[in-house]
Amino acid sequence: MIRCLTRRGWAVCGASVTFVAAGRLLGIPELYAFAVVGLSLVAGAVLYVRYAPWNIEAHREVRPPQVQAGGNSRVELSVRNTDSHRSPVLSARDPFDDGRRWARFHIAPLQPGESVRAAYRLPTAERGIFPLGPLQVGLTDPFGLATQAREAAPGARLVVYPRIDSILP
């Protein structure tokens, strides 16, 4: 499980510290209020991603797992809410090719026991063995200040063989 502040969260923290310093140097008490609001938003965001209830189960299937260069291959994902509460809006990221490329999408709120499916195509122009995953599903607060991610599905792989050209005798 990964919990951290986003770039926006760190920027709000930095701006809040700057407001405190500027308020002290310039003698403007309103800047202290901005600092308190900024730090309160960050603290609220961290608490939201830490305590918001969500528990999902995901399954990934690569079809076909072996393909010739230039062929068609796709990933089919199935996500199910295993919690007794409605899930919040979640984001899913599935890395491909050692994290150089990503499939990213959002998962709408799911009722308890409800499942949803998604699919995307994989690039097969180059031959090789391409690792896929692990699928990471995360929760971000409404202001985008903090995030929490979990591994939802283990890694897989796609094998792209060289294209076979038919040669006339």
Side-chain angles (χ1 to χ4, degrees), residues 5-143:
L5 291 180
T6 62
R7 285 187 208 159
R8 188 179 300 165
W10 284 111
V12 169
C13 286
S16 297
V17 170
T18 304
F19 284 149
V20 168
R24 178 86 172 147
L25 289 174
L26 301 174
I28 303 173
E30 288 82 9
L31 292 178
Y32 290 120
F34 282 124
V36 168
V37 169
L39 292 175
S40 298
L41 276 174
V42 172
V46 169
L47 291 174
Y48 175 78
V49 298
R50 181 177 177 119
Y51 294 112
W54 63 281
N55 194 14
I56 58 117
E57 177 181 279
H59 176 72
R60 176 197 305 112
E61 190 172 346
V62 181
R63 291 188 180 184
Q66 300 171 354
V67 67
Q68 292 178 353
N72 291 328
S73 183
R74 62 187 255 154
V75 172
E76 295 184 5
L77 296 171
S78 175
V79 178
R80 187 171 73 88
N81 182 7
T82 58
D83 203 356
S84 60
H85 303 306
R86 181 179 173 201
S87 70
V89 175
L90 301 171
S91 61
R93 298 183 343 164
D94 203 9
F96 176 72
D97 194 14
D98 286 327
R100 284 175 243 167
R101 297 179 245 184
W102 294 79
R104 295 182 177 121
F105 51 92
H106 292 287
I107 302 169
L110 300 172
Q111 297 298 330
E114 184 180 5
S115 64
V116 67
R117 298 178 60 90
Y120 63 92
R121 295 199 183 277
L122 292 171
T124 60
E126 299 176 13
R127 64 184 185 173
I129 299 174
F130 299 99
L132 193 68
L135 175 68
Q136 298 172 1
V137 176
L139 171 66
T140 304
D141 71 288
F143 295 108

